[in-house]
Amino acid sequence: MKYSHYLVSLCLLFSTYCYSQDYQIEDKYRGDPFFRKIDLNKLRKDCTYPPNYRQLSEYEQKKIYDDCPLRSLEFDFTSLHEFIYKEPVVIYNGKDFQLTLSMPVSEWEYENDVGPEYILEREISLSIINNNIVKDKIYLANNFIDLTLPSDYTNNTYSRSNNQGNYISPQGDRFQFQNYTEFSHGEMAYLYYYISPQGDIYTLSLLETDDGIIPQTWKHYQIDTETMKFKLIEIDRGKVKITLPDNFTVYSDPDHTANYKSEEFKKCLKDRTNEECFDSEIYLYYLDQLKPKMELLAKQKHKKNNFSLFKQQLDKKCLDELNPFGDDDDLNWYIDATLYVCEIEGFKEVLSLVEKQLAH
């Protein structure tokens, strides 16, 4: 009984985290639970073709193709357009707010009753509606098709439908291509999602090319019912992972220190704006310099090593403007133009102080 009262007190203190609302959403809108938790690097390995893929037998190609779990999702994302065509659909009706799915349709398409199977490159969004006002919105799904034929069309895996210029992919997706006889290469971009019964939202952006399906960015949101906002919790890009509000992690290759002594890299340390310089490498360089020196200083002064606390505080400062965030292009720009720069400057400032103390 004593423990029960203790837990109740905790829940009252942290009510936002202890209370989980049951979001009853029809299965046809919920998405695929596969995206709840994924290993982005493993998924890239499983879904990217090996260099000799085109030289393999048809049987070997099919096995590699089928081994990618993204090829066998249970949720039919292509049918979403049919469910929400022409007007937003309320998928959850709560006490104080609603969740709606919507997609843009032009006035001409609406007036001419253009079918959903012909509407391409549209982003499906999820909105929080309160008192008939959109309080927040995130992109939940899309299906962008480049106006070139995918490479597997040349292998006769795309079938021609009855309509001129209309093709059906191996997954059943229907595409229209302009001037289709002139193209032999293309790419597709997808955004898939899952909405859990607890209101957690997970999205994964994908790029499909001749090299297979390449996962780009996984995101985790929560619905904040107090602010009526989608709260961004975590971003995973494989080599870079962000957990808000105070953790930025860059995963390095085993041999990433190999070029530290090269003249080209030394030039990058002086001027990171050079096109041949990568902020991720400069970030890892200063991280590798600072971490052991802070540990050495702590031993010399017989004090606790505060590197972890310093890194957490720096991450929080540099991530302050990230939540909420937009699409992958905005994210790439933010990481390259703002986040790395902020972290590197923080490393350099503290490194200078640590080296001065070590010199005494």
Side-chain angles (χ1 to χ4, degrees):
M1 185 64 68
K2 184 185 297 185
Y3 293 108
S4 297
H5 286 301
Y6 177 69
L7 289 174
V8 169
S9 299
L10 280 179
C11 283
L12 289 175
L13 184 60
F14 303 107
S15 57
T16 303
Y17 301 98
C18 290
Y19 176 72
S20 60
Q21 188 167 343
D22 184 17
Y23 289 82
Q24 296 181 358
I25 298 173
E26 290 186 61
D27 289 342
K28 65 180 180 180
Y29 300 127
R30 191 174 288 282
D32 200 301
F34 173 79
F35 300 109
R36 182 195 293 265
K37 192 64 178 177
I38 61 171
D39 183 333
L40 200 64
N41 289 318
K42 183 178 185 305
L43 192 61
R44 282 178 179 168
K45 184 178 179 181
D46 291 342
C47 296
T48 303
Y49 300 147
N52 64 335
Y53 179 77
R54 302 300 171 190
Q55 285 72 50
L56 299 176
S57 67
E58 184 176 343
Y59 172 80
E60 291 172 318
Q61 286 187 6
K62 186 177 186 306
K63 186 178 186 309
I64 293 173
Y65 183 95
D66 293 340
D67 282 345
C68 172
L70 295 169
R71 305 286 187 185
S72 55
L73 297 174
E74 296 181 3
F75 186 81
D76 182 11
F77 285 97
T78 59
S79 64
L80 278 175
H81 293 76
E82 300 174 14
F83 299 143
I84 61 177
Y85 178 55
K86 288 191 175 181
E87 60 183 6
V89 173
V90 177
I91 64 172
Y92 171 76
N93 197 358
K95 180 181 179 181
D96 302 317
F97 69 97
Q98 297 80 42
L99 296 177
T100 65
L101 285 179
S102 60
M103 61 177 281
V105 177
S106 70
E107 183 177 349
W108 182 89
E109 290 167 332
Y110 187 90
E111 292 177 350
N112 290 273
D113 197 27
V114 177
E117 67 271 21
Y118 300 109
I119 297 179
L120 306 175
E121 302 179 21
R122 302 302 165 88
E123 293 175 320
I124 295 174
S125 59
L126 178 69
S127 300
I128 298 177
I129 309 294
N130 175 251
N131 295 327
N132 297 319
I133 298 175
V134 177
K135 294 295 186 179
D136 201 9
K137 180 173 70 172
I138 57 173
Y139 291 121
L140 204 62
N142 68 25
N143 192 15
F144 172 80
I145 313 300
D146 191 6
L147 289 179
T148 56
L149 286 179
S151 61
D152 53 3
Y153 171 75
T154 61
N155 296 331
N156 296 318
T157 57
Y158 277 65
S159 59
R160 182 80 175 273
S161 74
N162 293 330
N163 297 309
Q164 180 74 11
N166 197 9
Y167 293 83
I168 301 175
S169 78
Q171 295 78 37
D173 299 320
R174 183 173 297 175
F175 308 124
Q176 281 188 308
F177 301 100
Q178 297 177 358
N179 210 10
Y180 53 85
T181 58
E182 297 179 5
F183 299 105
S184 61
H185 172 76
E187 64 181 29
M188 308 178 194
Y190 307 94
L191 180 64
Y192 290 153
Y193 73 93
Y194 176 65
I195 307 173
S196 78
Q198 294 76 36
D200 290 279
I201 301 163
Y202 310 90
T203 66
L204 178 66
S205 57
L206 309 161
L207 186 66
E208 184 168 8
T209 68
D210 285 346
D211 297 322
I213 300 180
I214 308 169
Q216 301 293 301
T217 306
W218 178 87
K219 295 180 182 179
H220 174 200
Y221 300 87
Q222 287 178 342
I223 300 172
D224 189 331
T225 57
E226 293 185 0
T227 62
M228 296 294 172
K229 297 287 185 180
F230 294 108
K231 184 179 180 181
L232 185 57
I233 303 298
E234 187 176 356
I235 300 172
D236 187 355
R237 292 180 56 80
K239 293 192 69 173
V240 172
K241 182 176 288 186
I242 297 170
T243 304
L244 293 166
D246 56 11
N247 187 277
F248 174 60
T249 303
V250 180
Y251 296 98
S252 60
D253 297 324
D255 59 347
H256 75 277
T257 63
N259 68 336
Y260 281 175
K261 296 182 180 180
S262 69
E263 292 301 319
E264 290 77 9
F265 186 75
K266 290 179 181 178
K267 292 178 182 178
C268 291
L269 293 178
K270 294 180 180 179
D271 181 14
R272 48 164 290 276
T273 60
N274 190 297
E275 291 184 357
E276 297 181 357
C277 300
F278 297 95
D279 284 330
S280 59
E281 294 182 355
I282 298 174
Y283 167 94
L284 290 171
Y285 168 81
Y286 282 110
L287 178 65
D288 289 342
Q289 297 298 307
L290 178 60
K291 193 172 181 179
K293 289 183 179 180
M294 285 191 71
E295 183 178 356
L296 177 60
L297 180 63
K299 288 181 179 179
Q300 286 187 3
K301 302 295 183 181
H302 303 287
K303 294 182 178 180
K304 181 180 178 181
N305 184 4
N306 289 323
F307 175 80
S308 296
L309 178 60
F310 155 74
K311 182 65 164 63
Q312 184 181 32
Q313 292 174 342
L314 178 64
D315 290 351
K316 182 174 176 57
K317 172 190 172 184
C318 296
L319 289 168
D320 189 49
E321 299 179 0
L322 183 62
N323 191 12
F325 215 79
D327 59 23
D328 282 4
D329 289 337
D330 290 337
L331 179 62
N332 291 336
W333 177 87
Y334 176 85
I335 291 175
D336 292 338
T338 303
L339 187 52
Y340 274 128
V341 176
C342 178
E343 293 270 338
I344 291 169
E345 291 304 313
F347 287 157
K348 290 169 67 175
E349 181 180 353
V350 175
L351 179 62
S352 176
L353 294 174
V354 170
E355 287 178 338
K356 288 179 182 179
Q357 294 184 56
L358 287 172
H360 289 85

